[in-house]
């Protein structure tokens, strides 16, 4: 066992891990931050997307020890401490961007990464960016719409459905 | 995944020393290696992460050459290799954004997956693979599926790409994995045209020399009209037959030329 330390959602976190411990296991099993989901464990679905030093990564395909000293943010750190949803989360709620919600933590974290590098993405750019996030429920339509809305753009052009 | 020790050295020298251990394995961004470990297709006793080595990261351009550190992520290449637009575009279309934030050029070239994108760019560009001990010409580096000229414990510290007059990469995606079912990189240099094909051959990435000669003579997609590539050595699997891949090689080469 090796000690790993990182900052998670602004709070110092550390624990003992094996070499093979995945970042997602450390977050879920040791820090009990179970908002980050494991859909596939094979880098396909994006349910496990978190930010490491500001960049979206698949936490099922990164070792906990690789995140030593990093700033990690997860879905738990997105809402304000009083529970007020952030703009992206609120847009997902307003535009029905989720059904079962399993993919949603990853979708929200990917959306946040997209809007950071591209504050006004086109519909095509949003769809392209979500290539690595799979949703089995929504058909993506309302997710795209929510991200459009979260970026302050008019969503009326995207047909209601 | 079997357990292993983990080390993250800060210099190339320390990484080389750490890789001297029995059954030690270098770890780039892990986007291929970690899934491989999960499937227990590899069982190193020690992983040596190369991502903490500052001297192996970054993109620079000077004198008609783009130099990329071996530990540079695809996302960084996409954002910073603008001096070689076709290369930046290729990097920006590997995997998905989260994968591009982790995966590295050195990792991709060291692994030499027969369907990876970077080998096509390196071979078509006549790139130089720089390691901790030597420089290897791309023509000598790729030695078949998952096989390269790298010695045990040798680390790709950087890659130098001569910038061509024009280049284009056409990737026909395998829709599930997003790897290239077939990918063709065409680069036009003063010294001649180079065409490298990934995803198609059982021998891994290769140069299509007949196409190069035809394009040297007449740089138009029509110049390839009468050429056909022998399907015998092509990969045939559930995603596409040998004949299908051979056909794609030609179609994609023509598209690349037409786009230049
Ligand atoms: S659980 Fe990580 S990509 Fe699916
Ligand atoms: S809302 Fe169910 S998987 Fe996306």
């Amino acid at each position: 066992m090796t000690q790993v330390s990182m900052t998670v959602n602004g709070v110092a976190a550390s624990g003992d891990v094996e070499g093979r411990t995945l970042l997602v296991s450390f977050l879920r099993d040791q820090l009990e931050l179970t908002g980050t989901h494991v859909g596939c464990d094979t880098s396909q679905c994006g349910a496990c997307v978190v930010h490491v030093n500001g960049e979206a990564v698949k936490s099922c395909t990164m070792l906990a020890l690789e995140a030593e000293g990093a700033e990690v943010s997860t879905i738990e750190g997105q809402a304000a401490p009083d529970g007020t949803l952030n703009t992206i989360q609120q847009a997902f709620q307003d535009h029905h961007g989720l059904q079962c919600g399993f993919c949603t933590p990853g979708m929200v974290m990917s959306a946040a990464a997209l809007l950071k590098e591209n504050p006004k993405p086109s519909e095509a750019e949003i769809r392209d960016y979500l290539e690595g996030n799979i949703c089995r429920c929504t058909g993506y339509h309302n997710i795209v719409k929510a991200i459009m809305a979260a970026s302050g753009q008019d969503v009326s052009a995207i047909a209601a459905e | 995944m079997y357990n292993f020790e983990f080390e993250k050295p800060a210099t190339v020298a320390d990484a080389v020393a750490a890789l001297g251990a029995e059954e030690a394995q270098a770890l780039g961004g892990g986007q291929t290696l970690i899934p491989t470990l999960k499937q227990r297709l590899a069982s190193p006793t020690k992983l040596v992460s190369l991502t903490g080595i500052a001297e192996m990261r970054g993109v620079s351009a000077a004198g008609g050459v783009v130099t990329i550190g071996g530990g540079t992520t695809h996302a960084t290449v996409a954002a910073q290799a603008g001096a070689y637009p076709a290369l930046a575009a290729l990097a920006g279309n590997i995997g998905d954004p989260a994968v591009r934030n982790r995966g590295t050029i050195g990792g991709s070239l060291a692994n030499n997956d027969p369907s990876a994108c970077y080998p096509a760019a390196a071979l078509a560009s006549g790139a130089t693979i720089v390691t901790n001990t030597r420089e290897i010409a791309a023509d000598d580096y790729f030695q078949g599926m998952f096989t390269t000229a790298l010695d045990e414990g040798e680390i790709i510290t950087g890659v130098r790409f001569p910038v061509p007059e024009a280049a284009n990469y056409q990737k026909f995606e395998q829709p599930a994995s997003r790897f290239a079912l077939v990918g063709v990189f065409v680069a036009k240099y003063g010294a001649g045209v180079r065409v490298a094909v990934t995803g198609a051959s059982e021998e891994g990435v290769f140069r299509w020399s007949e196409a190069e000669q035809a394009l040297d003579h007449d740089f138009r997609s029509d110049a390839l009209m009468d050429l056909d590539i022998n399907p015998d050595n092509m990969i045939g699997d559930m995603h596409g037959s040998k004949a299908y891949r051979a056909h794609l090689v030609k179609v994609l080469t023509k598209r690349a030329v037409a786009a230049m």
Side-chain angles (χ1 to χ4, degrees):
Chain A
M1 291 287 207
T2 313
Q3 202 191 34
V4 67
S5 305
M6 60 190 83
T7 307
V8 179
N9 300 325
V11 179
S14 63
D16 288 327
V17 296
E18 292 185 314
R20 64 180 164 185
T21 303
L22 298 168
L23 177 59
V24 71
S25 317
F26 178 69
L27 294 170
R28 288 179 54 88
D29 303 342
Q30 283 180 253
L31 303 184
E32 298 184 349
L33 295 172
T34 54
T36 301
H37 292 165
V38 179
C40 65
D41 196 32
T42 53
S43 325
Q44 320 285 317
C45 75
C48 66
V49 168
V50 302
H51 296 184
V52 175
N53 295 327
E55 291 182 337
V57 305
K58 292 183 163 172
S59 60
C60 75
T61 310
M62 180 168 180
L63 303 172
L65 286 168
E66 290 184 280
E68 171 66 35
E71 302 268 346
V72 176
S73 34
T74 71
I75 191 67
E76 286 88 350
Q78 302 306 298
D82 69 358
T84 307
L85 300 180
N86 78 6
T87 313
I88 296 171
Q89 292 172 307
Q90 189 59 52
F92 269 68
Q93 188 180 77
D94 293 345
H95 294 274
H96 201 99
L98 62 151
Q99 287 180 31
C100 80
F102 192 87
C103 70
T104 313
M107 288 289 180
V108 168
M109 297 310 287
S110 280
L114 167 62
L115 296 187
K116 203 176 75 167
E117 70 184 54
N118 183 358
K120 296 260 182 270
S122 67
E123 180 181 345
E125 285 170 336
I126 294 171
R127 290 185 186 275
D128 188 55
Y129 199 88
L130 295 181
E131 182 172 11
N133 290 82
I134 294 175
C135 176
R136 298 303 299 267
C137 304
T138 64
Y140 302 96
H141 203 72
N142 289 348
I143 293 175
V144 174
K145 213 169 168 181
I147 297 172
M148 275 282 210
S151 65
Q153 301 185 83
D154 180 17
V155 294
S156 56
I158 305 180
E161 190 94 15
Chain B
M1 186 159 36
Y2 295 111
N3 201 15
F4 44 78
E5 272 176 64
F6 178 85
E7 224 173 293
K8 192 171 173 185
T11 66
V12 172
D14 287 350
V16 170
L19 284 169
E22 190 103 6
E23 305 281 337
Q25 160 79 50
L27 171 69
Q31 301 304 286
T32 300
L33 184 53
I34 293 175
T36 306
L37 294 172
K38 286 181 181 177
Q39 293 183 60
R40 295 187 166 179
L41 295 173
S43 51
T45 55
K46 184 199 267 190
L47 281 194
V48 180
S49 166
L50 305 179
T51 53
I53 305 175
E55 59 189 298
M56 273 177 54
R57 278 197 304 262
V59 179
S60 61
V65 175
V66 168
T67 304
I68 300 174
T72 310
T73 63
H74 310 325
T76 301
V77 175
Q80 294 179 14
Y84 190 165
L87 181 65
L90 172 145
N93 200 27
I94 296 173
D96 60 53
V99 167
R100 292 196 284 276
N101 282 335
R102 294 292 304 160
T104 66
I105 185 169
S108 171
L109 291 174
N111 189 45
N112 191 19
D113 187 295
S115 303
C117 296
Y118 268 128
L123 189 58
S125 307
T128 303
I129 318 295
V130 183
T131 77
N132 56 306
T133 57
R134 57 187 168 142
E135 302 194 344
I136 312 170
D139 283 316
D140 302 324
Y141 176 83
F142 299 103
Q143 303 188 345
M145 273 196 190
F146 299 110
T147 312
T148 70
L150 290 179
D151 290 329
E152 195 91 350
E154 191 172 3
I155 297 170
I156 298 177
T157 54
V159 189
R160 290 203 302 265
F161 291 88
V163 179
E165 290 165 16
N168 188 266
Y169 179 59
Q170 293 287 326
K171 173 180 178 181
F172 192 94
E173 283 179 6
Q174 199 266 72
S177 72
R178 313 293 198 208
F179 270 86
L181 186 63
V182 174
V184 178
F185 199 108
V186 178
K188 187 171 188 281
Y189 289 90
V193 177
R194 292 173 67 105
V195 177
V197 181
T198 188
S201 168
E202 288 183 334
E203 254 103 87
V205 68
F206 69 96
R207 281 173 70 185
W208 187 15
S209 42
E210 289 86 354
E212 293 179 353
Q213 280 152 22
L215 292 168
D216 273 339
H217 188 69
D218 178 11
F219 196 78
R220 290 182 310 129
S221 58
D222 281 353
L224 302 166
M225 201 77 98
D226 299 327
L227 287 186
D228 272 309
I229 192 155
N230 185 342
D232 287 353
N233 288 334
M234 296 284 133
I235 300 169
D237 59 19
M238 65 185 287
H239 307 295
S241 66
K242 288 169 182 277
Y244 183 65
R245 279 190 169 82
H247 180 70
L248 273 181
V249 172
K250 179 170 169 176
V251 170
L252 296 177
T253 308
K254 288 173 75 174
R255 282 187 194 167
V257 172
M260 284 165 70

